[in-house]
Amino acid sequence: MAPVVTISIAAAGLLFFLRWPIKGFALLLFLLPFSVALNPFPGVDLVLLRVLVPVFWLAVLLKYPKAFVQELKTPAVLALGLFLVIASLSLFFASEISWSLRKLLYLWSLAPMLPAITTLFRNKQDAWARAQKALLAGGVLASIVGIAQCIS
């Protein structure tokens, strides 16, 4: 039953991000301070953002394919790609291959966020303001929850 919930959340996220990509990015920023975990299998905790981040950049790629591919050719994205390739070479020297592979997969899953974000926010100052407000609201809410837990 739990994998069905994870797949349902990913599908709902994809539909939401395809319809409202800027609001979807604001939602990701709002959720950053929280560690909501899904349990797709017994003994496996999967952080919600690790599901939604790849779904987000996939949605941006599907909605704006030409702009996304154009952003892949920018110097910042090429430098990030070079960094990831060099970081991947460390796998050959790792004593814990499985741990190193998990960390590299995490980095590679976040890497497409750079072209996705630059595709969405090119020359859109109001969208940046909305993203900043979402990040601030998530931080404030997490702080309030933390203070409430400390007091009680």
Side-chain angles (χ1 to χ4, degrees):
M1 173 86 173
V4 173
V5 173
T6 305
I7 293 170
S8 300
I9 289 174
L14 182 62
L15 293 175
F16 184 80
F17 295 147
L18 282 172
R19 177 73 175 102
W20 302 289
I22 294 174
K23 289 180 182 177
F25 182 68
L27 176 68
L28 288 178
L29 290 178
F30 179 79
L31 290 174
L32 262 177
F34 304 102
S35 317
V36 180
L38 304 170
N39 295 68
F41 301 104
V44 175
D45 286 336
L46 184 63
V47 178
L48 180 62
L49 283 175
R50 291 204 182 169
V51 173
L52 291 181
V53 164
V55 170
F56 171 74
W57 60 256
L58 179 66
V60 173
L61 174 64
L62 292 174
K63 187 161 181 145
Y64 309 106
K66 290 180 184 175
F68 190 89
V69 171
Q70 186 178 5
E71 289 296 327
L72 290 175
K73 299 172 186 172
T74 60
V77 175
L78 292 175
L80 177 64
L82 181 62
F83 167 76
L84 290 173
V85 169
I86 291 170
S88 297
L89 292 176
S90 71
L91 190 62
F92 294 113
F93 306 103
S95 58
E96 291 286 330
I97 299 291
S98 64
W99 185 85
S100 182
L101 188 61
R102 282 187 301 157
K103 297 302 175 189
L104 282 172
L105 285 174
Y106 178 70
L107 280 176
W108 279 95
S109 73
L110 287 179
M113 287 296 285
L114 179 61
I117 293 168
T118 54
T119 298
L120 275 183
F121 292 107
R122 179 132 345 251
N123 302 323
K124 294 182 181 175
Q125 293 302 322
D126 60 325
W128 275 117
R130 184 181 302 155
Q132 290 169 350
K133 288 177 186 174
L135 186 60
L136 181 66
V140 167
L141 184 61
S143 299
I144 290 171
V145 168
I147 290 170
Q149 287 179 341
C150 183
I151 291 173
S152 63

